[in-house]
Amino acid sequence: MGLFKKNPFGHILFLKRWLIRIAGMMTHQRYKGFNTLEIEGSQVIRELPENNVLFVSNHQTYFADVVAMFHVFNASLKGRDDSIKNLGYLWNPKLNIYYVAAKETMKKSLLTKILAYAGSISIERTWRADGQDVNRQVKFSDISNIGKALDDGWVITFPQGTTTPWKPLRKGTAHIIKKYRPIVVPVVIDGFRRSFDKKGLRVKKKGILQSMQIKEPLDIDYDNESIASILEKLEYAIEQHPSFLKVIPQKELLAYEEENQKRRYSYKGKLES
């Protein structure tokens, strides 16, 4: 009976446990080998309840960000202090960690389908599909699935819905916060864009210092705070409010824009070929 126990989404926990173990062993060197991951806030993880926790983070790659969080969260729960040394923490991982991802992304290959089984809540983006701008209605089943995941455990979301920095946050995240009243934990990451390709599957450059800061839960008045107020609070917490642009060196901004321009040309070339 225990061997075939499933989570609320019908995923067999025994299989999910082994997928996380194998993926963790395959990716560990990306954060403690080829590159170094500097962690802050492990004690915050250990103080959280078993469920109804929403992690909100800035976004730099499709997969490397969330894989790093699986490592850090599990290592923290096993007593590691701001470290992912000693892979023993993967033997009995927390199985009720989920992350919000675009459905079209999670269906593209066998690898993404495996990653989806490990914890994805796949949703249909209302503003973007197949590289084009769209305008679709929110699917209530997507919202309810996020609620189901929060009821079962922890959920990771990237409220900007894009790996491009300083973009406005999507209102849906604030609506979810008001509806399900989770503990909201901000996470700020850096260095992933420089060390990985956009998908976060290929190591682009070695010797990069990556960082992950897990902040204290936000104080949110679920009844009286407006959607706009919650979004602004999130923007500051994950350091994506427009005011942060004023303190970022111009050289760094130009370097990012140059890299982003290369991506546009590359994508345009693929469409024309």
Side-chain angles (χ1 to χ4, degrees):
M1 181 177 175
L3 188 64
F4 297 103
K5 185 178 180 181
K6 298 179 180 181
N7 67 13
F9 298 96
H11 298 149
I12 300 171
L13 295 182
F14 175 79
L15 178 56
K16 182 173 178 177
R17 179 180 288 109
W18 274 103
L19 286 174
I20 293 173
R21 287 173 182 170
I22 294 168
M25 288 187 287
M26 290 176 63
T27 58
H28 188 253
Q29 284 297 303
R30 295 172 170 228
Y31 311 105
K32 194 172 176 58
F34 303 134
N35 297 299
T36 302
L37 178 60
E38 187 177 86
I39 305 160
E40 181 183 339
S42 287
Q43 79 286 349
V44 174
I45 297 296
R46 290 193 287 270
E47 294 169 358
L48 295 171
E50 180 67 16
N51 66 329
N52 205 35
V53 177
L54 181 69
F55 294 91
V56 292
S57 175
N58 61 314
H59 203 17
Q60 296 197 340
T61 72
Y62 290 173
F63 299 112
D65 312 1
V66 75
V67 171
M69 290 180 198
F70 268 71
H71 276 288
V72 172
F73 294 176
N74 279 292
S76 299
L77 290 172
K78 294 299 186 294
R80 312 293 194 278
D81 288 320
D82 297 337
S83 170
I84 58 170
K85 66 180 180 181
N86 186 345
L87 272 169
Y89 61 79
L90 286 173
W91 184 248
N92 190 26
K94 183 175 173 65
L95 297 177
N96 55 348
I97 299 178
Y98 303 93
Y99 60 97
V100 179
K103 186 175 292 183
E104 63 180 86
T105 301
M106 305 314 294
K107 287 184 173 182
K108 284 188 174 180
S109 68
L110 176 61
L111 177 59
T112 57
K113 289 177 182 177
I114 291 172
L115 291 171
Y117 200 95
S120 165
I121 309 166
S122 299
I123 65 169
E124 285 190 5
R125 291 188 294 184
T126 58
W127 66 96
R128 193 84 173 163
D130 299 319
Q132 303 295 321
D133 292 332
V134 298
N135 186 12
R136 293 190 294 219
Q137 292 294 317
V138 174
K139 290 187 69 173
F140 290 108
S141 59
D142 289 345
I143 302 297
S144 64
N145 280 339
I146 294 173
K148 187 190 298 184
L150 284 169
D151 188 57
D152 184 57
W154 297 355
V155 174
I156 300 164
T157 188
F158 303 97
Q160 289 169 295
T162 175
T163 56
T164 304
W166 306 294
K167 290 294 183 180
L169 274 60
R170 300 289 165 180
K171 293 180 181 179
T173 303
H175 284 290
I176 287 166
I177 290 170
K178 285 183 74 70
K179 181 177 177 64
Y180 295 109
R181 302 183 173 216
I183 293 173
V184 180
V185 180
V187 180
V188 179
I189 61 169
D190 195 24
F192 293 82
R193 183 179 289 112
R194 294 188 294 277
S195 52
F196 298 101
D197 65 350
K198 188 173 182 179
K199 291 182 179 179
L201 298 175
R202 180 178 60 84
V203 176
K204 184 172 67 175
K205 191 173 183 181
K206 298 179 181 180
I208 299 296
L209 178 63
Q210 304 156 346
S211 65
M212 182 183 300
Q213 181 186 12
I214 303 155
K215 299 185 177 181
E216 294 288 342
L218 296 178
D219 182 15
I220 296 175
D221 185 340
Y222 303 103
D223 292 316
N224 299 313
E225 279 198 65
S226 66
I227 295 297
S229 173
I230 292 174
L231 287 177
E232 185 177 42
K233 189 172 286 186
L234 294 179
E235 283 181 330
Y236 277 110
I238 65 172
E239 300 179 10
Q240 292 296 298
H241 189 272
S243 62
F244 281 88
L245 283 167
K246 298 176 183 178
V247 297
I248 296 173
Q250 187 66 22
K251 183 179 178 181
E252 186 175 331
L253 286 173
L254 289 173
Y256 171 76
E257 185 53 39
E258 182 179 346
E259 184 176 348
N260 204 39
Q261 195 67 25
K262 288 179 182 176
R263 286 177 180 164
R264 291 195 193 102
Y265 288 140
S266 175
Y267 182 73
K268 185 178 179 182
K270 288 177 182 178
L271 289 177
E272 293 174 349
S273 61

